[in-house]
Amino acid sequence: MTSVPPNPPPGCPAHPAHESLHGPEFATDPAAVYRRLRDVGPIAPVELAPGVRASLVVGYDAALHVLRSTETFSKDPRRWKDLADGTVPLDSPVVPMMMYRPNALWADGAEHRRLRGAITDSVARVAPATLRGYVEASADTLIDRIAPAGQADLLGEYAQVLPLLVFNRLFGCPADYGERLVQGMSGIFDGVDADKANDLLATTLLDLVTLKRRRPGPDVTSWLMAHPAGLTDEEMVHTLVLLMGAGTEPQQNLIANGLRLLLSDDRFAGTLSGGSLPVEDALDAVLWTDPPMANYAVHYPIHDVVYEGVLLRAGHPLVVSLAAANTDPSLTADQRAGNRAHLAWSAGPHNCPAQGPARLIAAVAVEKLLDRLPDVEPAVPVEELVWRPGPFHRALAALPVTFQSAAVTSSTPSTVGDESPVQRTAPPPRPSEVPEAGRVRRGWGARLLTWWRGE
Ligand code: HEM
């Protein structure tokens, strides 16, 4: 660290413009943006949404430095100066992903250890065999629904729904609570009546907490509240929102990005039925090259500081590019090959506390699908698949596939009708016909509810 240099003059050619991390261009080719940013330095200026400025950490060593130096970098968004002074409006699309809530993600020091301890200990109580059973049953329900059609969007009809079904079971949600949670979550994601949806989510989670305080069960909600960390009802609700948010969106993207790779990459072709190794390999490859949380782990310098000649201002958001760090050309082949030194789970005190369960959910979901629909193939060339715009996630907008339509064969009860004749039906829409991202988002809540109600 050195002394703080003076501010650059406006328009100075040595201080480049902010690269945009929103919009379709970044979504289509994020690697090109990361390459340009690397030319600027290990930490470079970006725009997360119109008018929302941040610095993106693109170097692997720089990422580890920020993630581990808790005395210099805080997770607490109440330090975010541009939000506090109104430069960033409260209704900016990135605010919900970056604003303060009283949970582990946004806490530092002892408070973080207390809130996180309750999560790690409770998640550790989930037996892998039980979790596997939940995932298999949920996967079977969903596959039973798509199997007769011979075509599906594996994102909207499988990867997106499965984590929610699993989480409702993990949290011990009675069925009617589950429906309200899905309704609340989907309303927030769809941006339709977001305030109402937020209220519904909060009330339902509070009802769940009240129910579990009265009648605890063998579930994560009950284990969290029985933990010596002594979470208040408010902390319980925010911790449950964190677990649902952290566990569903990245989880769906690991499943979908893993399936995309397995179905399209020659390195995995022909070995799909040969056991679990190719699936595990594909998940590792995705975690290296297309990590579900591409850019996140937002930190705020506690005071002005200089890192490798770059001034990092107190209260200015530093977003860690887990994706760019993973593909940093300075990483040696040794560092990259066969090990799990990638940053897809982040690093330091806030690294993902659910790595084991998250891998298990993804692996079982992928294996089950390939096992039940062995001839599944992409309905369009893989280069034509559309990625959803947004600075944080590496997320497909849709994953259309075709397969030989199959009878319902799962052992779990299904809501789908009897066997249908083996037939090929019309392929799903090509990406050019897939609605643009905003409309995809708007639609997914309604689709989830339809699934949930068995309509
Ligand atoms: C493939 C799936 C997943 C991926 C790629 C992933 C990735 C991550 C990453 C990158 C972080 C760091 C975020 C930050 O510092 O801002 C994180 C934190 C977290 N994740 Fe995950 N996660 C996944 C699944 C899950 C699941 C299934 C759960 C819950 C059961 C979960 C719970 C959490 C929690 C509670 C944190 C906050 C930890 C803290 O701040 O101390 N994640 N995850």
Side-chain angles (χ1 to χ4, degrees):
M1 309 268 170
T2 53
S3 64
V4 176
N7 278 335
C12 169
H15 294 84
H18 291 66
E19 284 273 359
S20 163
L21 298 194
H22 51 95
E25 231 173 87
F26 173 67
T28 305
D29 191 3
V33 174
Y34 300 146
R35 271 195 302 275
R36 287 200 296 274
L37 289 169
R38 272 189 207 110
D39 290 342
V40 178
I43 301 181
V46 290
E47 193 180 63
L48 300 175
V52 183
R53 295 187 159 188
S55 297
L56 193 72
V57 184
V58 289
Y60 187 87
D61 290 341
L64 283 182
H65 175 72
V66 170
L67 295 169
R68 289 173 176 166
S69 306
T70 49
E71 69 295 344
T72 312
F73 304 107
S74 159
K75 285 280 294 181
D76 190 338
R78 287 172 297 186
R79 295 177 182 274
W80 186 5
K81 283 203 173 133
D82 284 354
L83 187 67
D85 70 13
T87 307
V88 170
L90 277 174
D91 63 357
S92 166
V94 290
V95 167
M97 285 288 288
M98 295 174 67
M99 67 191 270
Y100 174 78
R101 291 190 179 87
N103 64 32
L105 190 60
W106 307 118
D108 294 321
E111 187 61 354
H112 173 242
R113 284 191 290 278
R114 180 179 74 86
L115 294 167
R116 182 181 165 102
I119 296 173
T120 9
D121 292 347
S122 305
V123 168
R125 290 180 70 173
V126 177
T130 309
L131 182 58
R132 175 175 282 273
Y134 290 168
V135 183
E136 285 181 345
S138 306
D140 272 333
T141 303
L142 297 176
I143 298 166
D144 281 351
R145 292 206 170 208
I146 57 179
Q151 61 170 22
D153 167 16
L154 288 186
L155 184 90
E157 295 176 90
Y158 190 67
Q160 214 163 52
V161 195
L162 185 137
L164 278 168
L165 298 183
V166 172
F167 275 85
N168 277 316
R169 285 173 176 234
L170 279 180
F171 291 174
C173 277
D176 56 325
Y177 286 48
E179 178 169 337
R180 281 159 61 199
L181 285 183
V182 171
Q183 212 168 358
M185 288 272 293
S186 53
I188 288 171
F189 279 116
D190 290 355
V192 180
D193 253 343
D195 284 347
K196 216 168 123 200
N198 201 36
D199 285 351
L200 180 65
L201 188 66
T203 340
T204 310
L205 288 174
L206 198 56
D207 287 352
L208 180 66
V209 168
T210 312
L211 175 80
K212 294 290 166 180
R213 288 229 191 265
R214 247 192 358 255
R215 265 188 291 138
D219 52 62
V220 173
T221 314
S222 306
W223 296 331
L224 276 170
M225 59 179 54
H227 193 274
L231 268 54
T232 63
D233 282 1
E234 194 198 4
E235 287 169 344
M236 273 300 302
V237 168
H238 284 285
T239 299
L240 291 174
V241 171
L242 168 62
L243 289 172
M244 281 191 85
T248 49
E249 170 83 31
Q251 190 72 58
Q252 87 186 25
N253 296 334
L254 182 56
I255 296 169
N257 297 354
L259 281 167
R260 168 187 164 275
L261 190 68
L262 277 157
L263 298 181
S264 63
D265 191 315
D266 285 347
R267 284 176 300 163
F268 304 101
T271 49
L272 294 183
S273 55
S276 63
L277 191 63
V279 170
E280 292 290 338
D281 285 353
L283 293 182
D284 274 337
V286 165
L287 290 167
W288 273 107
T289 54
D290 282 313
M293 301 291 307
N295 305 298
Y296 205 44
V298 187
H299 284 72
Y300 300 86
I302 293 168
H303 44 78
D304 285 2
V305 66
V306 175
Y307 179 80
E308 298 204 359
V310 184
L311 169 61
L312 308 173
R313 287 238 179 255
H316 182 68
L318 270 177
V319 177
V320 180
S321 181
L322 307 168
N326 279 355
T327 48
D328 184 338
S330 74
L331 277 179
T332 61
D334 255 11
Q335 277 171 300
R336 227 187 286 268
N339 66 34
R340 293 183 181 168
H342 59 71
L343 297 183
W345 310 110
S346 187
H350 285 271
N351 75 359
C352 180
Q355 298 174 31
R359 265 196 87 99
L360 180 75
I361 295 170
V364 174
V366 170
E367 279 163 14
K368 191 77 180 169
L369 188 107
L370 298 175
D371 187 47
R372 293 270 318 266
L373 306 173
D375 60 349
V376 64
E377 58 185 24
V380 296
V382 70
E383 329 62 78
E384 289 181 24
L385 290 173
V386 177
W387 297 91
R388 227 175 65 209
F392 304 121
H393 302 292
R394 183 66 175 148
L396 287 168
L399 181 53
V401 293
T402 56
F403 46 86
Q404 195 73 14
S405 71
V408 174
T409 55
S410 82
S411 50
T412 44
S414 162
T415 45
V416 179
D418 291 328
E419 284 182 25
S420 64
V422 174
Q423 58 180 20
R424 286 258 170 190
T425 48
R430 297 178 70 79
S432 55
E433 298 162 39
V434 171
E436 47 88 16
R439 287 175 50 217
V440 171
R441 301 294 287 170
R442 212 159 292 285
W444 85 260
R447 203 161 47 194
L448 272 183
L449 268 178
T450 311
W451 277 118
W452 188 252
R453 292 186 176 130
E455 287 159 6

